[in-house]
Amino acid sequence: MARDRRGRRGHGCVAAGSRTDSRGRRDREGHDERRARGRDAGGHAAIPLPGGSTAVLARAVLRLENQPQAPHLIEPTIGLLEALGARMGGIRGWMLRHARTFGGPLARTLARTSPQLAAMTRTTRAVTQLRGSSSMNVIPERASATLNVRILPGETVQTALADIERVVDDPAVQVRLIHGADPAPVSPASGPAWGAISASIVEVFPDAAVAPYVMLQASDSRHFARISDNVYRFLPFDLRQEELQSIHGIDERIRVSSYARAVAFFDALVGRL
């Protein structure tokens, strides 16, 4: 068994650009980087030409923004909803306990509820970098955008690329891969390794419901998949919202009590191995 200190899915980058000469743009630990560039005659900003590289690129970016992937539930998310449903009553609890049957409606509900939940239902695309002219008064010959792509388990770098090209649907936009990797295998939510983690969670966090989930971030744990089928990305910290928001930011912190319970969790887990 191997475990990681973080908890979700992989990441990626896609650079998408436009070119007006028509020559042509990830449990998940999947990621990729792609770049597409646009090119036209360029020139001085005092004499702009319609349909330049920046306009073509802007249209492509807006298509990607306005047409996200259709949401769907994968196995870890189904397990999470079923575990939550076991603790809920009424029609909501009943639907969650039957998440496999009501996968379509539940996936669409999650996608509408929040960006965090939406990211559990689809491969996500985020524009992170834009490039054009190096001068304020020069029309760029090329324009490009970088997309960070987080690939949902069950998909691949190639399927993510094909979906981007389908949405952009413009021969003036060229997409190329910078680098990428397919999602890591989903670890089983059963067996001795899962049982040891579950028992340790219940021992230290007696009110917690143990359930699988999808890791949104990329971590080095994906490399352990080469030597183990049981790679779990569990973070044994009971974090408040302000603590979550401080991660990788100013005054990143956790409470001493949370740290102490994390130590107790690892002590319980190691004792079971």
Side-chain angles (χ1 to χ4, degrees), residues 136 172 224 227 246 256:
M136 291 187 295
F224 291 117
I227 60 174
S246 74
V256 173

Side-chain angles (χ1 to χ4, degrees), residues 9 38 64 67 79 90 100 104 121 159:
R9 171 173 77 176
L64 292 169
Q67 300 181 51
R100 198 175 304 278
T121 67
T159 60

